[in-house]
Amino acid sequence: MSEKRYYMACLDLAGRSCLVVGGGSVGLEKIRGLIDCDARVTVVAPEIAPELRELPAELLERRFESRDLDERFLVVAATSDAKLNRRVYEEAEARLLLCNVVDAPEICNFILPAVHRADPIAIGITTSGASPALAQRIKREVAENYGVEYAQLARRLRELRPWAKENLPTYEERRDFFQALVEDALP
């Protein structure tokens, strides 16, 4: 049997409605990540961690209801109740919603990588659900190698893109120009 392969993508969640089912520490981590990407986050859980009350999220202090999925773009199930997590996944899947169930890749239609951010750079690391601990270890190693100097270079290159589009007529010329700049800037 071959390994499961995931299509890697970066989602623009700015202004999109995302639901997190679960208001504990695991949900808190996912909620912070969504808010960091400017998503509109709603949390539904009978109990809400105190730290959540300080975040810009809509809090529904009650049990999950099917209608909570209405008009959502993405859903994260982050409860300790396996039956509830499966129900959230099945109902989200029936509506063709993106759904991640924390620590259960077999009932997700997308998984979340460990992410190293040095804005505007974001590097995602995944083990395809095999080991989040290993992904975190690799993330720490990546952070040691790709820090502030790479972020500064990325910003400079972004500033040059309009000039390059205006003055270098072909894709190949722009590609070669930027490749040369990167090679000159990095050891």
Side-chain angles (χ1 to χ4, degrees):
M1 182 171 107
S2 66
E3 294 284 332
K4 182 165 189 140
R5 300 195 83 185
Y6 290 89
Y7 185 77
M8 302 298 282
C10 296
L11 301 176
D12 179 0
L13 297 180
R16 293 192 185 267
S17 181
C18 299
L19 176 70
V20 177
V21 181
S25 61
V26 175
L28 178 62
E29 176 188 335
K30 304 307 177 191
I31 293 159
R32 284 182 173 143
L34 292 166
I35 289 170
D36 188 45
C37 293
D38 295 325
R40 287 186 302 112
V41 179
T42 301
V43 180
V44 62
E47 294 179 30
I48 304 287
E51 300 91 340
L52 276 173
R53 298 187 187 287
E54 300 169 17
L55 298 177
E58 178 185 9
L59 305 178
L60 304 175
E61 293 186 63
R62 59 170 171 72
R63 295 192 182 285
F64 169 78
E65 298 173 6
S66 297
R67 66 185 169 101
D68 294 327
L69 297 173
D70 292 350
E71 299 182 31
R72 304 296 177 186
F73 178 77
L74 179 148
V75 180
V76 176
T79 79
S80 57
D81 181 339
K83 282 185 176 181
L84 175 57
N85 288 343
R86 180 168 291 281
R87 177 181 160 215
V88 170
Y89 168 74
E90 289 172 353
E91 291 188 27
E93 182 74 4
R95 294 174 182 228
L96 303 176
L97 298 174
L98 291 172
C99 185
N100 174 267
V101 178
V102 174
D103 205 28
E106 66 280 2
I107 55 170
C108 296
N109 59 28
F110 80 97
I111 59 173
L112 296 166
V115 177
H116 163 65
R117 285 190 193 277
D119 285 333
I121 295 172
I123 301 171
I125 299 99
T126 182
T127 60
S128 296
S131 175
L134 178 58
Q136 288 296 323
R137 167 68 185 265
I138 295 168
K139 173 186 167 184
R140 286 191 302 273
E141 293 174 5
V142 165
E144 291 172 8
N145 291 304
Y146 300 96
V148 68
E149 66 279 1
Y150 283 83
Q152 291 168 345
L153 177 59
R155 287 186 200 101
R156 284 198 312 267
L157 296 172
R158 179 177 53 205
E159 290 170 3
L160 287 171
R161 287 178 63 87
W163 177 90
K165 282 194 170 214
E166 189 174 310
N167 293 287
L168 302 171
T170 68
Y171 166 80
E172 291 77 15
E173 288 176 297
R174 292 188 297 273
R175 178 198 62 209
D176 294 346
F177 171 75
F178 283 110
Q179 284 180 344
L181 288 176
V182 170
E183 292 304 317
D184 288 344
L186 299 172

